[in-house]
Amino acid sequence: MTHDNNTHSSSSSSSRNIIEEDRQRAEDREGGIGAGAGMRIIVPLQGVVQGRGGFVLGSVIPCALFYFLQLYLKRHRSERTPREELPPPPRRPSKSPPKPVLASSRALHVIEDENSPYNRGWQAYKENPYDAESNPDGVIQMGLADNQLSWDLIEGWLKSHPEVSSWEGMSDTSLSLRGIAGYQEIHGMPILRSVMAEFMCELMNAPFNPDQIVLTAGATAAIEILGFCLAEPGNAFLVPSPYYPSFCKDVKWRAGVELVPVPCRSSDNFNVTINALDRAFSQTKKRGLTVRALLISNPCNPVGNTLDSATLSMLLGFATEKNIHLVCDEIYAGSVYDSPNFTSIANVVDSGEFDKSRVHIIYGTSKDLCLPGFRVGVIYSYNDKVCKAAQKMSRFCSISSQTQHLLTAMLSDTKFMQLYKIENQRRLGERYHVLTKGLEEAGMKYVKSNAGLYCWVDMGYLMPSYSEKGELNLWDKLLNEAKINVTPGSACYCIEPGWFRICFGTLSSQDLTVALQRIQEFSKRCKRSP
């Protein structure tokens, strides 16, 4: 039995020796870190199997060591050979149809505005414009408040001053390429702001300080900047209605300011009253909106009347009482062709009775000077903080240097500007009287106006029903049957259906005659129809 045990022991011992020798030889053949790590893992695990060591020594520690070893090898391998990594497999095209890429809600809101009558009339004119020779049955544009009656005066001045638009002989002047192509002050060159202040002083008979002028790429940009500077998104401006249709776009699309109409009625000759202002202010507060400003136009667009000093004082007093701003759009200040004369809000402020810091004026060269393509607008603010903010915001809508130099030269010619103003106003008055005489012959009533490029006409008696729907139905017939594009009162937020804005500044005398003939014939057809 002892022999058997000894034999078994020696046999087991020799077997272990053989296994250890085999293991040693395998380690010698494989070598390296990996083999050593394998031994360090296998031995403790073997200890667990044979009942030696314990759980921590035999399982947890080896597993942790193995994990950190693999992490170490992977990290150092990726650092040594980053370029040897295989590129990702090519992405297979999806079999499902592609989803449409989304636009912002703001963009969609802007697109929706294309369906308004104001824009649809524009589109109809662009697709089928009237021309006396090539397209006599086309649409006549009477929905655009543009002054083309005095283009020849501007053109004549430019021809007599070729140096302002030519590079020849200007190498040593401020109009040279070196003087124009470099960076300029984004809110307007000092020389143009100084000349503009003098021009506005002469035009509006009120003092203006060039340091309070901010020049922008058009009056549209000027109004938008004021919307940004005076209100938070979701705040409101009160606006006497009817008003310029694009005011909504100017302050709402990007500044996010809501416009609240203050209804004006024909019984008051569409003049705003203090009762209407108080009512609109209270109702706006009940809706949870904060009113930050009162926005007015003087002369009024679309009615064409000017505001006297008593009305302007009432409006400024209301703004003071409610602690809000007053924004006055005076872009038609030089287009007054009949009495009473124009009174700027600057005259009322200059009296010293009111707080100047809440008053802001908008002006531009597109209407009075027939230069909408120049894109020159003016912010005149009595508020230093608003002025500084507007100066910085004008970086997004600066005027080209060449345009500023040209306009500086033109406005500096005071003799020409005085003669131009007188002749332009004479032409506007003459054209207005031709239009109103034709409207009277058609049996149409209108508001007597003294300024602007339009006439506010009552066509309610031609409507099939006294409603906004009836008004739009009449507008559609004027566009598609009479081929006349005008602006319906609903686009101007007029509370009374049947009023239309008819513009006369884009038509020659011959074209205006054709337009009036179409209106008169259309009126007769509507009267005969049941």
Side-chain angles (χ1 to χ4, degrees):
M1 186 64 181
T2 303
H3 175 71
D4 293 339
N5 289 339
N6 291 337
T7 303
H8 180 71
S9 297
S10 62
S11 174
S12 300
S13 177
S14 62
S15 298
R16 284 195 297 273
N17 290 336
I18 293 172
I19 293 173
E20 292 295 335
E21 289 174 0
D22 291 342
R23 185 178 298 150
Q24 186 63 42
R25 283 194 294 270
E27 223 175 65
D28 293 341
R29 284 196 305 270
E30 295 174 4
I33 299 176
M39 280 302 300
R40 285 193 294 273
I41 292 172
I42 293 172
V43 172
L45 288 175
Q46 183 182 16
V48 174
V49 172
Q50 295 180 354
R52 296 191 300 272
F55 176 78
V56 175
L57 182 63
S59 178
V60 175
I61 293 178
C63 289
L65 290 174
F66 181 79
Y67 172 80
F68 286 115
L69 175 63
Q70 297 300 318
L71 184 63
Y72 174 85
L73 293 175
K74 182 176 181 181
R75 179 177 299 174
H76 284 266
R77 189 183 300 116
S78 62
E79 291 177 355
R80 287 194 302 269
T81 60
R83 296 183 180 180
E84 296 178 3
E85 294 182 359
L86 294 176
R91 185 184 297 274
R92 294 182 179 180
S94 175
K95 295 182 180 180
S96 59
K99 297 181 179 179
V101 64
L102 299 178
S104 71
S105 59
R106 292 173 297 179
L108 296 177
H109 176 72
V110 171
I111 294 172
E112 288 174 0
D113 187 67
E114 293 178 355
N115 295 322
S116 69
Y118 187 69
N119 289 322
R120 283 160 51 199
W122 257 93
Q123 188 62 33
Y125 168 74
K126 288 191 294 184
E127 293 174 355
N128 184 27
Y130 168 82
D131 185 272
E133 296 181 0
S134 61
N135 190 23
D137 296 325
V139 176
I140 296 178
Q141 175 63 290
M142 303 187 80
L144 176 63
D146 186 17
N147 185 4
Q148 300 177 12
L149 303 182
S150 300
W151 267 0
D152 61 312
L153 302 179
I154 300 295
E155 186 178 25
W157 186 90
L158 290 173
K159 287 181 178 179
S160 63
H161 296 78
E163 70 278 3
V164 302
S165 56
S166 171
W167 301 111
E168 297 180 5
M170 299 193 303
S171 58
D172 296 328
T173 70
S174 61
L175 287 175
S176 65
L177 179 63
R178 186 177 298 277
I180 289 178
Y183 281 113
Q184 308 289 345
E185 290 191 35
I186 59 175
H187 63 285
M189 295 178 176
I191 186 171
L192 179 55
R193 285 187 278 118
S194 178
V195 171
M196 182 64 75
E198 294 176 4
F199 172 74
M200 292 173 63
C201 178
E202 175 67 23
L203 185 71
M204 303 178 186
N205 194 29
F208 290 96
N209 182 352
D211 293 335
Q212 294 171 262
I213 285 180
V214 177
L215 299 178
T216 62
T220 293
I223 295 174
E224 183 192 44
I225 288 176
L226 283 181
F228 178 90
C229 293
L230 304 183
E232 306 292 342
N235 290 167
F237 284 4
L238 300 181
V239 192
S241 67
Y243 57 79
Y244 169 54
S246 290
F247 270 159
C248 289
K249 306 173 187 177
D250 296 347
V251 300
K252 186 173 183 178
W253 278 2
R254 295 202 296 186
V257 178
E258 299 288 336
L259 290 189
V260 177
V262 181
C264 302
R265 302 180 181 277
S266 57
S267 56
D268 298 316
N269 210 35
F270 292 101
N271 290 314
V272 65
T273 64
I274 189 64
N275 290 334
L277 287 168
D278 284 330
R279 190 181 308 112
F281 186 87
S282 300
Q283 292 175 348
T284 304
K285 287 189 66 176
K286 289 179 180 178
R287 290 170 52 193
L289 297 178
T290 300
V291 178
R292 296 303 302 271
L294 172 62
L295 172 60
I296 62 174
S297 59
N298 180 32
C300 177
N301 179 5
V303 179
N305 53 357
T306 51
L307 305 181
D308 56 26
S309 58
T311 302
L312 292 171
S313 296
M314 180 269 289
L315 294 172
L316 193 46
F318 172 81
T320 303
E321 177 189 339
K322 303 301 182 183
N323 193 26
I324 60 177
H325 295 271
L326 176 62
V327 180
C328 194
D329 178 6
E330 300 185 350
I331 198 168
Y332 293 99
S335 298
V336 180
Y337 47 79
D338 203 349
S339 60
N341 294 328
F342 173 75
T343 301
S344 172
I345 190 67
N347 296 109
V348 179
V349 168
D350 193 49
S351 67
E353 183 180 350
F354 299 97
D355 174 21
K356 292 184 176 183
S357 65
R358 69 179 72 253
V359 178
H360 320 275
I361 300 172
I362 300 293
Y363 187 65
T365 63
S366 60
K367 310 301 182 181
D368 294 343
L369 298 181
C370 307
L371 298 173
F374 274 36
R375 308 306 304 151
V376 177
V378 177
I379 297 174
Y380 190 85
S381 177
Y382 295 92
N383 189 305
D384 290 339
K385 291 183 179 179
V386 172
C387 234
K388 291 178 181 178
Q391 289 175 0
K392 295 182 181 298
M393 289 296 295
S394 65
R395 69 176 291 117
F396 302 111
C397 52
S398 298
I399 311 166
S400 73
S401 300
Q402 191 171 12
T403 297
Q404 293 191 61
H405 277 292
L406 193 156
L407 191 59
T408 298
M410 182 183 294
L411 296 181
S412 298
D413 191 342
T414 55
K415 182 178 179 180
F416 167 75
M417 294 311 305
Q418 289 174 355
L419 294 175
Y420 171 87
K421 174 187 173 183
I422 294 172
E423 177 61 16
N424 180 60
Q425 292 176 341
R426 186 195 69 78
R427 294 183 183 187
L428 289 173
E430 182 181 76
R431 191 56 52 86
Y432 169 79
H433 290 300
V434 171
L435 173 65
T436 53
K437 182 179 178 181
L439 294 174
E440 290 171 359
E441 292 176 359
M444 295 180 180
K445 297 180 180 181
Y446 55 90
V447 174
K448 187 181 185 306
S449 56
N450 66 314
L453 307 170
Y454 32 74
C455 185
W456 191 235
V457 184
D458 182 9
M459 297 187 186
Y461 69 100
L462 298 177
M463 296 192 311
S465 62
Y466 187 75
S467 63
E468 182 177 336
K469 183 178 179 181
E471 177 184 282
L472 294 178
N473 182 276
L474 178 60
W475 168 81
D476 187 75
K477 287 183 178 180
L478 278 164
L479 180 64
N480 295 297
E481 295 180 14
K483 299 295 177 62
I484 298 287
N485 178 42
V486 296
T487 306
S490 56
C492 302
Y493 300 87
C494 181
I495 195 173
E496 299 178 13
W499 290 88
F500 291 81
R501 187 187 73 168
I502 299 181
C503 301
F504 55 82
T506 60
L507 304 181
S508 66
S509 57
Q510 294 83 0
D511 292 348
L512 180 58
T513 300
V514 175
L516 288 173
Q517 288 174 351
R518 291 186 181 184
I519 292 174
Q520 291 166 3
E521 292 171 1
F522 176 79
S523 176
K524 291 178 182 178
R525 290 198 304 271
C526 287
K527 288 179 180 178
R528 286 196 300 265
S529 62

